[in-house]
Each structure stands twice: as structure tokens, then as C-alpha cells.
Amino acid sequence: MIIYLLSFILFCLGIYCILRKRNIIKIIVGIIITEYAVNLFFILSAYRIEGRAPIYSAEAEILNMVDPLPHALVLTSIVIGLATTALLVAIAMRIYEKYGTFDITQIRELKG
Amino acid sequence: MTLLPHIIPLFVVIPLGAAFLLSLLGKKVRALPDIFGFMTTFSLFVLSLFAVCFVNLSGTYVYSVGSWKPPVGISMVLDGLSAFMLVTVNIVAFLIAVYSTSYMNQYTSKWKFYTLFFLMLAGMNGVIITGDLFNLFVFLEIASVASYALVAFGTEKHELEAAFKYAVMSTVGSLFILFGIVLLYSCTSTLNMADMSRCLEGTCNSNITLMVSVLFIMGFGLKAALVPFHAWLPDAHPSAPAPISAMLSGVLIKSLGVYALCRIFFNVIGLTSMISEIFLFIGVLSMVIGVFLAIGQWDLKRLLAYHSISQIGYVILGIGLGTPLGIFGGLFHLFNHSIFKSLLFLNSGAVEYAAGTRNLQQMGGLGKRMPVTGGTSLVASMSIAGIPPFNGFWSKLVIIMAAVEAGRYGYAFWAVLASLLTLASFMKVMKYAFMGSLHERWKEIKEVPFFMKVSMITLAFICIVGGILCFSAYKDMFLQQATNILLAGKKYAIIAFQEMK
């Protein structure tokens, strides 16, 4: 139980980082943390106590096995995260070229 | 007849393949992006019309990807609602591709634009057609990532700032959605939407359903720009090039936001009265706040972006009522909004193309020099404001009638009020931009090129004749099929499973 709570706390930390930090790079780091928290939770939801990999072998009898599907899904979600992060970092670099700063309090020509 | 289900994956394969080929060859052959853009979107449009016919002939189709039988493999489901959304997305995409052939000449590297455009289209079609929840998330991310890049396409100061804001907020929304999907998976051990709906009936703890509902409302609400989550939209939509603004406001927020919300809450989780109340409240809130914020704007595209928030409020209000008439009105308004809002954004693009400004105070009398742009934007303005013969009137009328029928007089009142304020704000647009005396600066201005005119006139024509869709013969064919799927609610699982066997 405690381990699920820990990954939830990690999620909240990431959200806090996105909401409170002023530096663009720190916001991106916050997004990465949040993403990892969700991925970690996904992997944890597949784990069974004393489970083993679901590979059939003649000598060992399988009593408990972990769910293999989330592992495959998490790979996809990590790749998506990579694409998003790469795009965000590219935009951040261009923003630095134009504005000369990473501070979002000085990058506010648009009023949302 | 056995071949028919095989057209379903084509909706994703064609744009994805086009994007791939363009990124390889687009740099070398200069005419290729335009030809590809036209051919691909036109074939998708024709296919989506076929899809509507097939659904009318014999109901739902299920295609199993890689012949893995559901619920193990990924399935793609074509039913009334998907067919309706496919037509909406692909008709707008086709006309926008026609428009872009001329408009995008002001930018360099047209092939990059078309590559991203096709990736976004593939993502949207995928979200609509898929029957698997994780697959829906993957397609949603494809469409979103392509749209972040498209918002930043100009790579000027404002574009980059808007794109960063949009990307951060939308990524957080996606993470909420993924979190919700994880919880649902750990509860039901399946990802197929039909199977999941069946599993949720029996064993699942109601607290988990509640948590998942909250996460999905936050996540998809962010994608659909409903009011507490709307802050990114007025920056992101105006900053993109005009065809992309039309695409984002016209169909992206609907297919990623509204369609996904409807599909999950009606067909998978099941609409409870609490969720319905939340939909109604959020809908009215977006409707009223969006229109109030819109009135004060002087930037034409920004004004239109605020109106998108307001009109999405109408759609959610209609669907949230949950009655047959309400759902019908909501879906009808969704279709109409995608037509007239893309037309308005294309008009604003035409003004920017010819005059080089978006500020309403600097315009004036443009209607005399640009009769096609002025005329079509008059049609679209009357349509969005709800003047009788145009399509916007009919759908708003149906939504307000449905609200009165359900005994929700307060919501009906706000809907009427928001409609009046919309009329006021579009009178301002017409007065400052197209009517009045011609400004000295714009004496030499010319009407836009041929392709841009063609696409604007076609959209205006659909605005005028769109009203016939709510009369019986056409209604049964197109909108009623989509309404029936949402009304069926959790019976969707039974329908989908019959087809799988």
C-alpha cells in the first residue's frame, strides 16, 4: 500500500513543480517527474506478491505471475514522453533565443 | 461484404503514410505537398461518406488489428457516432487543405506543414475510430504533439510563448487521462472499451469509478477547453497559421475533447445523474464566460478563439441533458460549429493575407475590396449568432427546446442570453472589419487567390444548407445514427460484442 502512496506523492510533487516554478527548464523537469510517477504507478499495478515473469518452463510450476501487459504499454508511454519532452526543450531553446531569459514572469506578452 | 471492415484502418493508414512519404520526398519535389494534400484529404472525405452509407446499411463494424480477436487484441469500431465524427473531421480537413495550397505560400518549407498536418489528422481519425482505451491515448498524443509543433510553426516570439503554454497544459491533461486509464485497467484488467464497460458493471468499486470520472473530466476538459481549463486556448489558437487555427478550433478540440468525453462517459462508465449535472454546469459556465470574454477583444482571431469556448459550452450543455433531443441538438451543433468556425478562421486568415493585420480597429470597409471574404464571413457570422435560415439557428433552437423540455429553464435562459451576446459581438466584427467607409490604407488591397475563395465559398454553402440536416429524411441517415449510439449507453458493449463474434 505504502508504495502506491509514494508514487502518488511523486505525482503531486511533479504537479507542484509545474505550478510553482518560474524557470521554463524547471517546469519541463516537473512534467518529466509527473510522467515518471504515472509510469511507475502503471508498473506497480501489474505487480503481484512473489510473482515471477510469465514465461512457461517445464520444471517450475507457476503460482503467481506478474501481469505482462502494462510493461508493454509503459514502453509506449515512455516513448510518447520522450517526444513531448524533446519538443518542449526545442521550444524552450527557441524561447531563450527570442526573449533572452527562461523566467516565465518576463515571458508574458500574451494575456491568457 | 467481407471486405467492408477493411476500409476502417484506412482512415489512419492513409494520412500516416502520406506524412511518412512527404517527410521523405517533400523537400525534393516542390509540387508534391500540394498534390498530396489535395489527394489524401479528398480520398479520406470520400471514404468517410462511404462509412456513413455502410453504417446506414448494416450497423456497426468491428475490425481486429492483426487478426487478434477482441478483447485480447486492439479493435477498431465503426458505428454511427464514429461515422458522424469522421465526416465532420474529414470535410473540414479537405477544405482546409484546399485553402492551404495558396495560403501557406507565405511560409517557407510547406512540406513540413503538410507532414505535421497529416500526423494531426491521423491522430484525430485514430481517436475517433479506435475501440481500445490505451490506443485512444496513443492517438490523442499523436494529434496533440503535432498540434504543439503546428502552433509554434511561425517560430516568432508570440507563437513560441503560446506553444509552450499550450504544450505544458495539454501534457498535464494527457497525464491525467493516462492516470485514469491505469486505474481503470487495474480495476477491470482489460483495455477494450466494450469489454471494460461490461466488467465495470459487476465487480468494480464505485470509489474508483468516481476517481476515474474526475480524472477524465479534468483531462478531456483540458483538451476540449471547457471553462476552468480554458486558459491555453485564446493564446494557442490565434498564434497558429490560419488553416491550423481553423483545424484546431473546428475539429481538434471536438474530436480529442468532446468526442472522447461522450464515448467514455456514455458508453464505458455510464452516465449518472451527477455526471450529467457536472456537464450541464461546466457547459453553461463555458458558454457564458467565453462570450463575455469575447466581446471585449480587438484581435480578430482572439475574439474567434473565445467564441470557440462559448460554442463548445453549447455542445456540452446539449449532450449533458441526456435526453434524445438534447443529445441530437448537441451533436448537430458540434457539426455546425466545426463548419462555421473554420470558415470564420479562414476569413480572418484571408484578411491577414491581404491586409496584413488582425486588429479590428485598423480595418474598415474591407467588404468593398474583398467581396468574397466579406460575404462569406457575413454568412458565418449570422450562422454563429443564430439568425434563422442558417445552420447555427437550428441547432441552438434544438438545444434550447431540449433544455425547456427537460424542465431546465435556468439553463435555457443562459443559452438564449449567450446567443444574444454572440450576435452583439459579431455585429462589432462586421461593422469594424467589412462595413463602413474604406480606410485610406486599404485602397490597393486585392481579393485572395482562387483556391482560398473556393474553400470559403464551399463552407459558406454548407452553412446555408446545413439546416436541412435536422429534417426527417437526412436526420435519420446522419445524425440520428450518432444519437442512437449515445442513447444506447452501456448497451454499446452488447452491440460491439455481437459484431466481434
Side-chain angles (χ1 to χ4, degrees):
Chain A
M1 189 61 202
I2 189 103
I3 202 160
Y4 297 107
L5 273 182
L6 283 177
S7 76
F8 189 69
I9 289 171
L10 194 62
F11 184 81
C12 294
L13 273 178
I15 296 285
Y16 175 82
C17 183
I18 296 167
L19 292 175
R20 289 289 296 168
K21 292 295 165 191
R22 288 177 168 187
N23 191 314
I24 282 184
I25 300 297
K26 286 185 186 165
I27 291 176
I28 296 175
V29 171
I31 287 179
I32 297 171
I33 291 173
T34 321
E35 205 174 271
Y36 284 179
V38 176
N39 289 345
L40 207 58
F41 185 71
F42 210 166
I43 288 288
L44 281 173
S45 75
Y47 181 70
R48 304 283 180 274
I49 294 165
E50 302 199 334
R52 48 160 295 193
I55 301 170
Y56 177 75
S57 65
E59 63 267 26
E61 195 182 343
I62 301 177
L63 294 172
N64 263 327
M65 56 182 185
V66 295
D67 187 352
L69 187 62
H71 298 86
L73 300 181
V74 158
L75 278 181
T76 315
S77 113
I78 287 172
V79 173
I80 291 171
L82 175 75
T84 317
T85 314
L87 188 66
L88 277 171
V89 171
I91 293 175
M93 280 165 62
R94 286 298 191 90
I95 286 181
Y96 190 77
E97 277 172 23
K98 299 282 178 193
Y99 287 83
T101 175
F102 278 130
D103 188 346
I104 53 165
T105 50
Q106 287 167 32
I107 308 173
R108 46 182 317 143
E109 299 199 352
L110 301 169
K111 300 181 191 73
Chain B
M1 290 298 274
T2 49
L3 266 178
L4 283 186
H6 293 278
I7 71 155
I8 297 176
L10 287 181
F11 286 108
V12 180
V13 171
I14 291 176
L16 213 54
F20 176 72
L21 283 178
L22 262 185
S23 58
L24 280 184
L25 304 171
K27 213 171 177 178
K28 294 175 186 113
V29 192
R30 285 202 59 193
L32 196 69
D34 287 338
I35 299 169
F36 249 59
F38 183 80
M39 299 284 282
T40 311
T41 48
F42 183 68
S43 57
L44 282 172
F45 172 52
V46 173
L47 271 178
S48 67
L49 289 184
F50 272 125
V52 170
C53 296
F54 292 151
V55 167
N56 268 302
L57 283 177
S58 50
T60 310
Y61 288 97
V62 177
Y63 175 81
S64 320
V65 178
S67 303
W68 290 89
K69 284 291 160 213
V72 176
I74 294 170
S75 62
M76 288 182 162
V77 184
L78 178 71
D79 57 14
L81 184 61
S82 314
F84 163 73
M85 286 301 295
L86 282 174
V87 171
T88 313
V89 168
N90 289 311
I91 197 171
V92 173
F94 169 57
L95 291 168
I96 284 171
V98 171
Y99 181 92
S100 312
T101 49
S102 298
Y103 183 84
M104 291 312 287
N105 282 336
Q106 356 172 23
Y107 291 83
T108 50
S109 62
K110 218 174 184 180
W111 61 279
K112 282 183 190 158
F113 167 79
Y114 273 110
T115 308
L116 288 167
F117 179 80
F118 284 137
L119 278 177
M120 194 165 85
L121 193 58
M124 283 191 288
N125 281 345
V127 166
I128 291 165
I129 207 79
T130 187
D132 183 279
L133 206 53
F134 192 76
N135 204 233
L136 186 144
F137 171 74
V138 172
F139 281 125
L140 186 130
E141 283 293 274
I142 293 176
S144 309
V145 172
S147 71
Y148 311 150
L150 280 169
V151 169
F153 196 75
T155 59
E156 291 302 318
K157 267 186 155 182
H158 289 180
E159 278 97 338
L160 290 168
E161 188 188 333
F164 187 76
K165 199 184 268 184
Y166 173 36
V168 169
M169 292 187 73
S170 184
T171 309
V172 173
S174 307
L175 288 172
F176 279 129
I177 295 168
L178 182 61
F179 200 20
I181 292 174
V182 174
L183 283 175
L184 270 184
Y185 175 76
S186 62
C187 174
T188 59
S189 303
T190 176
L191 284 167
N192 187 295
M193 289 204 263
D195 198 28
M196 189 178 268
S197 152
R198 226 172 35 172
C199 292
L200 275 174
E201 296 225 312
T203 53
C204 208
N205 189 339
S206 67
N207 285 340
I208 289 189
T209 331
L210 194 68
M211 175 82 180
V212 168
S213 306
V214 172
L215 287 170
F216 279 159
I217 287 180
M218 283 201 286
F220 290 119
L222 256 166
K223 300 274 178 195
L226 295 170
V227 147
F229 320 109
H230 69 288
W232 58 271
L233 187 140
D235 289 342
H237 287 194
S239 301
I244 293 307
S245 311
M247 200 72 184
L248 292 178
S249 257
V251 289
L252 188 96
I253 54 174
K254 299 196 186 73
S255 58
L256 261 55
V258 178
Y259 167 81
L261 264 182
C262 293
R263 180 64 94 191
I264 287 174
F265 278 107
F266 279 81
N267 293 145
V268 179
I269 296 179
L271 192 75
T272 57
S273 63
M274 186 183 66
I275 302 280
S276 167
E277 286 297 325
I278 292 174
F279 272 20
L280 288 174
F281 183 71
I282 291 182
V284 169
L285 207 64
S286 326
M287 199 164 77
V288 177
I289 291 182
V291 82
F292 270 115
L293 289 170
I295 286 183
Q297 301 298 324
W298 287 103
D299 182 336
L300 179 55
K301 280 174 99 175
R302 219 176 154 76
L303 184 143
L304 296 177
Y306 275 114
H307 275 294
S308 286
I309 301 175
S310 162
Q311 303 296 317
I312 284 291
Y314 273 101
V315 177
I316 291 291
L317 172 69
I319 290 170
L321 282 171
T323 56
L325 196 63
I327 294 174
F328 170 74
L331 290 177
F332 189 27
H333 198 66
L334 191 153
F335 176 76
N336 290 340
H337 179 245
S338 70
I339 300 292
F340 57 64
K341 187 47 69 69
S342 13
L343 176 54
L344 282 166
F345 267 113
L346 295 188
N347 288 143
S348 76
V351 170
E352 201 180 352
Y353 184 88
T357 181
R358 289 184 346 209
N359 193 332
L360 284 172
Q361 281 160 321
Q362 291 173 10
M363 299 174 194
L366 292 178
K368 292 192 188 91
R369 302 291 304 172
M370 306 168 73
V372 175
T373 311
T376 50
S377 83
L378 183 66
V379 171
S381 303
M382 292 209 278
S383 201
I384 193 174
I387 306 288
F390 299 99
N391 59 3
F393 167 72
W394 298 104
S395 50
K396 280 188 185 175
L397 184 71
V398 173
I399 291 173
I400 292 166
M401 266 161 53
V404 171
E405 191 192 63
R408 310 263 181 184
Y409 300 108
Y411 291 138
F413 167 75
W414 286 111
V416 174
L417 184 76
S419 182
L420 289 177
L421 290 172
T422 312
L423 179 64
S425 110
F426 276 95
M427 273 160 75
K428 171 179 146 185
V429 171
M430 293 315 292
K431 176 173 176 292
Y432 278 94
F434 297 106
M435 312 282 179
S437 56
L438 189 64
H439 210 284
E440 196 59 38
R441 255 170 87 188
W442 314 125
K443 282 275 188 282
E444 300 300 310
I445 222 166
K446 278 202 276 302
E447 181 60 287
V448 290
F450 175 70
F451 283 117
M452 285 162 77
K453 276 194 277 193
V454 169
S455 111
M456 288 193 293
I457 290 172
T458 318
L459 281 168
F461 178 71
I462 301 174
C463 277
I464 295 169
V465 300
I468 60 167
L469 281 175
C470 73
F471 296 114
S472 60
Y474 301 95
K475 179 183 164 185
D476 288 345
M477 239 177 83
F478 189 51
L479 276 161
Q480 198 59 46
Q481 295 279 351
T483 314
N484 287 344
I485 293 292
L486 285 185
L487 279 176
K490 309 246 311 183
K491 292 198 195 74
Y492 163 77
I494 302 165
I495 301 170
F497 263 102
Q498 268 172 355
E499 280 306 308
M500 287 170 196
K501 291 288 161 357

